[in-house]
Amino acid sequence: MSAEEMANTDDSLADERKAAYIERAIRYNIQRYMDLVGMNQGDMAKVLHVSRGAVSQMLTGYSRLKFRQMYLAAQALGVSIDDLMDPSYMAQADELAQKMFEIQTQADELTQKKFEIQTQADELTRKMSENLHDTQQSATSDSNELALSGAGAGGTQTRYFVMPEMNGLALAPHEC
């Protein structure tokens, strides 16, 4: 294949892509204008002299648009064929859809992070509760041991008594 033939093939592919893009814009705009004027597929089917299913296929891309259909649709919708071929509304919708997708992706990521943080917080709460429980058991055990060790003879527990003439506390004399 010569360089000229390859260039023509590249141009042909580019033209085909452009035509497919404009055809998609026409479909989008027909649906958009139908929504704006309150027309449903059944109403459009009557205008185009086809079935409602044929309109559905035309709008979804399962069937190719014909110029006659574009002309009749434009007339019924009160717009020009140029309005139907204008890709700007479709491009805005595509851009908005992309932004919404990005925002949803970010929201999903934040939800996952929130879940991970909540899981970590729950784990820390569980560990703190276990440590508190262990500390309370240890303190209860220590106070029981202290009470038992001071109750017997020769214990080291300090005793206090009230001295009436001073209205105060005094240490008991050391017992032998």
Side-chain angles (χ1 to χ4, degrees), residues 157 159 172-176:
Q157 191 172 16
R159 297 177 157 203
H174 186 66
E175 300 178 61
C176 300

Side-chain angles (χ1 to χ4, degrees), residues 69-139:
Q69 292 171 329
M70 284 187 345
Y71 176 78
L72 291 173
Q75 293 299 308
L77 297 169
V79 296
S80 70
I81 291 176
D82 284 341
D83 290 335
L84 293 181
M85 294 176 66
D86 182 6
S88 60
Y89 292 116
M90 182 183 69
Q92 288 174 354
D94 288 347
E95 185 178 321
L96 180 60
Q98 179 62 33
K99 286 180 182 178
M100 288 173 58
F101 175 77
E102 290 169 1
I103 289 169
Q104 184 61 48
T105 301
Q106 290 173 350
D108 292 345
E109 290 171 358
L110 289 173
T111 300
Q112 179 62 31
K113 285 182 182 179
K114 177 185 171 192
F115 174 75
E116 291 170 2
I117 290 170
Q118 185 62 48
T119 302
Q120 290 172 354
D122 291 347
E123 180 64 20
L124 287 173
T125 302
R126 186 187 63 75
K127 286 180 180 179
M128 287 172 54
S129 177
E130 286 176 0
N131 287 343
L132 179 61
H133 180 67
D134 291 347
T135 302
Q136 287 174 340
Q137 281 187 332
S138 176

Side-chain angles (χ1 to χ4, degrees), residues 147-163 168-176:
L148 290 174
S149 68
T156 58
Q157 191 172 16
T158 304
R159 297 177 157 203
Y160 296 93
F161 66 94
V162 177
M163 298 203 39
L169 291 177
L171 288 173
H174 186 66
E175 300 178 61
C176 300

